[in-house]
Amino acid sequence: MREMAASADRDGGGGTGRAAVGRDRQRDTEAVSRFVERFAGELTDAGMQRMAARVFAALLASDSGMMTSAELAEQLQISPAAVSGAVRYLTQVEMVGREREPGSRRDRYRLHGDVWYETLTRRDQLLSRWEGVMREGARTLGPDTPAGVRVAETAEFFEFIQKEFQQVLVRWRDHKAARREAASPEGGTPGPVA
């Protein structure tokens, strides 16, 4: 019984129970570790801080989508201070949330539900701000100067991307709703959608 509780705790707690223990035993932990490190490397190459990328990838690869600082430190073989810095960054960019573990003084870190959707939506807001700055810059530089033309075209590009992106997000929501509806039994509760 103690082994099951320890295994469920390593998986991130949150009521994962026997099903998660069974899945953990079926998984190749080295292969999971390689996946976490490979995906973290991709995120790092895209500009994310290395430790934040590793912590995010570890959370993503956990069944519950949540882990304590100690669990993250143990799995990634990093110091609690490194976990703390990574989590600080991930909470600032709203990719991870922090919650108190019930009946404990420990915090758990949890992935937000639609983390990619939310992250890309914030990128869209960033593009909107950049577009405004570029339009102002084009006026400042003068519409007939080479720099003004280049900056105005950049603003136009950001505007185009935003319009296209909004349509993509709407199509994604529709696609996800259709998958959820198809996965649910008639009249029942929708099944899980990744």
Side-chain angles (χ1 to χ4, degrees):
M1 186 69 160
R2 187 178 304 176
E3 178 187 74
M4 284 179 58
S7 182
D9 189 47
R10 277 193 306 277
D11 186 59
T16 55
R18 290 177 191 244
V21 171
R23 285 191 300 268
D24 285 347
R25 287 189 182 141
Q26 293 173 357
R27 288 190 180 143
D28 178 345
T29 55
E30 287 184 30
V32 171
S33 182
R34 283 192 303 272
F35 162 75
V36 165
E37 295 303 326
R38 181 171 182 207
F39 186 55
E42 293 293 332
L43 292 172
T44 301
D45 289 347
M48 186 182 279
Q49 298 172 359
R50 179 163 164 62
M51 280 303 152
R54 292 183 72 210
V55 166
F56 178 79
L59 287 168
L60 188 65
S62 72
D63 283 332
S64 64
M66 73 178 113
M67 298 173 81
T68 65
S69 179
E71 292 164 341
L72 287 162
E74 179 182 342
Q75 179 178 334
L76 299 172
Q77 296 297 295
I78 58 178
S79 71
V83 172
S84 178
V87 166
R88 188 177 317 112
Y89 170 81
L90 291 168
T91 55
Q92 286 172 352
V93 296
E94 299 179 25
M95 293 179 78
V96 168
R98 178 188 314 236
E99 60 187 48
R100 183 67 65 180
E101 193 172 78
S104 170
R105 294 175 55 190
R106 295 189 309 176
D107 286 331
R108 287 188 298 199
Y109 305 106
R110 172 190 289 276
L111 291 175
H112 288 301
D114 283 332
V115 67
W116 296 115
Y117 178 88
E118 295 298 327
T119 299
L120 292 174
T121 299
R122 281 189 299 283
R123 293 284 183 199
D124 184 49
Q125 294 165 358
L126 180 64
L127 287 176
S128 180
R129 291 197 319 260
W130 287 358
E131 178 195 348
V133 171
M134 291 296 122
R135 292 206 184 280
E136 183 181 321
R139 286 189 299 274
T140 300
L141 296 167
D144 298 327
T145 66
V149 169
R150 185 170 51 251
V151 170
E153 188 174 292
T154 301
E156 188 178 335
F157 172 74
F158 289 151
E159 179 183 27
F160 175 82
I161 292 295
Q162 286 176 84
K163 287 178 183 173
E164 293 296 312
F165 188 67
Q166 288 304 318
Q167 293 174 17
V168 168
L169 290 178
V170 167
R171 288 198 315 267
W172 168 248
R173 283 192 303 260
D174 293 346
H175 171 79
K176 188 174 175 181
R179 281 181 47 212
R180 186 172 281 143
E181 187 176 311
S184 69
E186 269 189 20
T189 304
V193 175

